[in-house]
Amino acid sequence: QIAEYVVATYLQHTHQLLPYAFNQRLKSHSRRLLHLPVHDSPGLRAGILGYGAIGRHVARLVSALGMEVYAYTLRPRPTPESRRDNRTYLVPGTGDPDGVIPVKWFHGEEKESLNRFLEEGFDLLVLSLPLTKATESLLSTEQFDILATKGKGKTFIVNVGRGKLIDTQALLEAVRGGKIAGAALDVTDPEPLPEGHELLREERVFVTPHVSWVSPRVWGRVLEVLGRNLDALGGRGEWVNLLERGNHL
């Protein structure tokens, strides 16, 4: 569901769906919005920072749209075996468990490595990383300057990781200065945003209150992950017996 959020927000940006929705609220069926730029996806380039379960399914979805995928990971993945992911839980039929979708792989935890990745120039840049000392303010003024040059100001950023991965003030300056095309943020810094915050007033920034994970099917998947972990710890049957015994005490 988080990967679908990424694609949904990207498509509403590239196809100008929000202006048309506003047009409908005005009870208008006018074609006056035809001047707005619309872009389809074949031949465009997506960069995915963090190639875990979320990043891998984002890759699957955007590659189906015709985009080239570039992956960025903490550690090097030089061989086909190292690019496989046999440990992460995936809904069957989703993701990229064999790591075959990216056309190019990058890695590292220094800003120099990240900057080399960003120099590839992206139409879509997705952040699906955890927050650590190394990833805090991962995208700041220097990185937005690279995107402005190499991405030609057309990069759309989607953050479904943690709000502090992005320097908020630098992001606002990048949007207002035309360094990037816009952003979709399901996570923010600060979080929650106070009423009237600048991010909420910026038309080219789409903000949601940390809801990309929400789905009526999510808890069934959580239980499946729990079951697999219990099996790995010695069999879920033994753990279920312990839990039942604990409930009786």
Side-chain angles (χ1 to χ4, degrees), residues 31-185:
R31 294 165 65 86
R32 65 184 177 84
L33 298 175
L34 280 175
H35 69 282
L36 295 175
V38 172
H39 305 283
D40 54 26
S41 299
L44 300 186
R45 187 172 290 182
I48 303 177
L49 284 163
Y51 207 63
I54 296 169
R56 286 170 184 258
H57 196 46
V58 170
R60 185 184 183 106
L61 296 178
V62 300
S63 65
L65 295 175
M67 301 183 78
E68 281 189 339
V69 173
Y70 288 59
Y72 189 94
T73 58
L74 176 63
R75 296 178 182 82
R77 305 289 182 94
T79 65
E81 183 59 36
S82 68
R83 293 172 182 176
R84 293 193 181 99
D85 184 3
N86 300 318
R87 298 176 299 169
T88 302
Y89 172 79
L90 284 175
V91 176
T94 69
D96 179 26
D98 292 325
V100 296
I101 293 177
V103 298
K104 206 167 182 180
W105 291 72
F106 292 78
H107 72 275
E109 53 183 324
E110 307 84 11
K111 284 292 178 73
E112 292 77 11
S113 302
L114 171 65
N115 292 346
R116 284 195 293 271
F117 174 70
L118 297 178
E119 285 173 356
E120 294 293 327
F122 298 115
D123 302 277
L124 170 64
L125 180 63
V126 181
L127 284 77
S128 57
L129 294 160
L131 179 64
T132 67
K133 288 183 179 180
T135 61
E136 186 170 352
S137 294
L138 193 68
L139 295 189
S140 194
T141 301
E142 180 185 9
Q143 288 67 47
F144 289 123
D145 286 343
I146 293 172
L147 292 174
T149 302
K150 301 299 183 178
K152 301 178 181 178
K154 62 185 179 179
T155 306
F156 186 77
I157 295 172
V158 184
N159 188 5
V160 289
R162 289 293 181 264
K164 289 188 176 182
L165 296 175
I166 299 178
D167 180 322
T168 297
Q169 194 57 43
L171 171 66
L172 284 165
E173 292 171 3
V175 171
R176 292 165 180 168
K179 295 180 181 180
I180 60 173
L185 309 174

Side-chain angles (χ1 to χ4, degrees), residues 5-16:
Y5 171 96
V6 171
V7 174
T9 54
Y10 175 65
L11 291 178
Q12 65 84 10
H13 162 71
T14 57
H15 290 269
Q16 302 290 349

Side-chain angles (χ1 to χ4, degrees), residues 205-247:
V205 178
F206 180 79
V207 183
T208 51
H210 209 145
V211 295
S212 64
W213 64 275
V214 174
S215 164
R217 302 164 73 180
V218 69
W219 299 115
R221 292 167 185 156
V222 169
L223 290 174
E224 176 64 22
V225 172
L226 174 62
R228 292 188 182 196
N229 287 337
L230 292 177
D231 285 340
L233 287 170
R236 78 179 74 188
E238 180 180 340
W239 284 89
V240 167
N241 289 336
L242 286 172
L243 290 171
E244 289 178 348
R245 207 177 309 160
N247 287 337

